[in-house]
Amino acid sequence: MKSDKNWIKGAIKKPGAFTAQRDRYNKANPTKRNISTSQFANKVLKPGSSYSGTTKRRANLAKTLGKMR
C-alpha cells in the first residue's frame, strides 16, 4: 500500500468554502463579536446543530487541519 503524501490536496474540494461560511455567519450576526474559524467549527459540530452534512464535514476537516503544523 502506497502512502499518499498529498492527501490534503485531495481532501479539499473547494478551498476557502468553510471560511466563507464563517464570514457569512459573522456578517449575519453583527451584534456578536466575530468568531474564529475554530469557534465556528465547534458551533457547527455541536450536537443538535442544524447545519448540513457537508458543512459538518468541512468543520471536521478545518479542526483536523488546525491541529497540523
Side-chain angles (χ1 to χ4, degrees):
M1 187 165 151
K2 188 176 117 180
S3 175
D4 191 10
K5 292 183 180 182
N6 294 327
W7 69 269
I8 296 171
K9 190 173 187 178
I12 302 173
K13 303 282 189 250
K14 297 184 179 197
F18 188 69
T19 304
Q21 284 180 305
R22 182 215 53 202
D23 292 342
R24 286 193 298 273
Y25 173 82
N26 283 335
K27 190 173 184 181
N29 299 301
T31 57
K32 296 181 181 178
R33 227 176 103 228
N34 287 342
I35 63 174
S36 68
T37 303
S38 62
Q39 290 171 329
F40 184 61
N42 289 335
K43 179 178 176 50
V44 168
L45 294 174
K46 189 180 293 187
S49 70
S50 62
Y51 290 95
S52 71
T54 302
T55 302
K56 290 181 181 182
R57 282 195 303 266
R58 287 176 180 161
N60 200 6
L61 182 62
K63 287 184 72 163
T64 301
L65 295 178
K67 295 176 196 173
M68 296 181 131
R69 294 285 175 246

